[in-house]
Amino acid sequence: MSARIIDGKGFAEQLRARIADAVPPFCAAAGRAPGLAVVLVGEDPASSVYVRSKHRATVAAGMESFEHRLPADTDQETLIALVDALNADPAVDGILVQLPLPRHLDAQAVLLRIDPDKDVDGFHPVNAGRLATGLDGFVPCTPLGCLMLLEDTLGDLSGMDAVVIGRSNIVGKPMAALLTARSATVTLAHSRTRDLPGHVARADIVIAAVGIPNFVKGEWIRPGATVIDVGINRTDDGLVGDVDFAGAASVAAAITPVPGGVGPMTIACLLRNTLHAAHRRTGLATADLP
Ligand code: NDP
């Protein structure tokens, strides 16, 4: 194996420490802590684990965590009323509704209801539009974390060829927009893409967000490329990514592991977005924030 392993866990710990350092000055200026509200509907075990770790990380950073756990049979009106109340609550800077919602609920309508200036997940179309047009807004946490790891590994991304595999609204599309904004040349691949191995073979940067275990093969990767594996797949062999790690690591220059790569960056970036939301809402400068 020749690739450098990109230590997302370590990077995320440092980012969280820098965020925690920025909280006391905010509290002194604003007279309160930044606040993150997380809404969980139902008992989905994976979602419960995510919500618990978001709560712990928020509190550890010195921020206020408001957890709202609603029963699985909650109706649309009740959920919308909660979002409205959180939009109006001055102590709440960020609102996150944990997905997936139970099937009887309209997730799109709920996400549309969140005040875009409290949308720390960056899923509201207003924030997607801001990202697409180069305006300041909230960027979805997972692609933001990937970008941080890439810039830490490669420095300036300008002119690099990047292939993003997967075009979801939460990972692939915002990832492609972020890389375009950094002047990379981006190919956004998906299930209808012809000759995916041929595209990957030309790429300096490969981002895999597909949801299929070990989907990207080592022999597709261009020697010296940097590989970011977003995938989290639960298999009989434990958690595995979307990239054949052993194969890719033998040719790539750098690669993220699963677990311990992109995953920890997602929560760190959620805290980062909440810190920024709190500053913007209070009229405080964000320029020096992590
Ligand atoms: P989605 O299921 O929403 O999207 C998957 C994408 O992969 C789609 O665009 C789909 O194409 C594409 N795809 C599927 N099959 C192929 C194929 N054979 N060839 C090329 N492209 C294909 O997934 P998400 O974006 O939500 O998540 C992707 C992965 O990232 C999952 O493993 C998920 O668990 C993980 N994830 C990890 C996070 C983290 O914190 N680390 C956060 C979020 C997700 P099409 O559009 O044509 O259907």
Side-chain angles (χ1 to χ4, degrees), residues 107-265:
Q108 199 54 42
V110 174
L111 295 182
L112 271 172
R113 195 76 171 205
I114 296 173
D115 177 349
D117 294 333
K118 295 190 176 188
D119 170 39
V120 285
D121 249 346
F123 295 164
H124 194 290
V126 164
N127 282 315
R130 287 171 175 160
L131 174 60
T133 53
L135 297 174
D136 265 351
F138 291 109
V139 174
C141 303
T142 300
L144 180 59
C146 294
L147 181 72
M148 288 181 185
L149 294 180
L150 276 173
E151 291 193 311
D152 186 58
T153 305
L154 294 170
D156 184 7
L157 308 181
S158 173
M160 292 192 178
D161 285 318
V163 170
V164 178
I165 314 171
R167 56 174 162 180
S168 71
N169 289 334
I170 64 171
V171 189
K173 277 187 206 151
M175 188 73 246
L178 283 171
L179 290 166
T180 304
R182 292 298 194 275
S183 298
T185 303
V186 182
T187 302
L188 182 53
H190 45 76
S191 66
R192 308 289 180 89
T193 296
R194 274 185 272 155
D195 189 21
L196 182 61
H199 287 287
V200 172
R202 286 188 292 279
D204 305 301
I205 296 167
V206 180
I207 315 247
V210 188
I212 303 175
N214 304 319
F215 175 74
V216 176
K217 307 301 174 214
E219 56 265 30
W220 300 0
I221 307 285
R222 172 175 168 172
T226 296
V227 179
I228 305 288
D229 190 349
V230 181
I232 301 180
N233 305 294
R234 283 162 231 281
T235 72
D236 293 343
D237 301 329
L239 274 193
V240 301
D242 289 345
V243 177
D244 164 26
F245 181 81
S250 66
V251 280
I255 185 168
T256 56
V258 177
V262 173
M265 292 300 293

Side-chain angles (χ1 to χ4, degrees), residues 5-14 149 256-257 260-265 268:
I5 308 301
I6 299 172
D7 181 12
K9 188 163 177 276
F11 191 99
E13 276 165 14
Q14 286 176 24
L149 294 180
T256 56
V262 173
M265 292 300 293

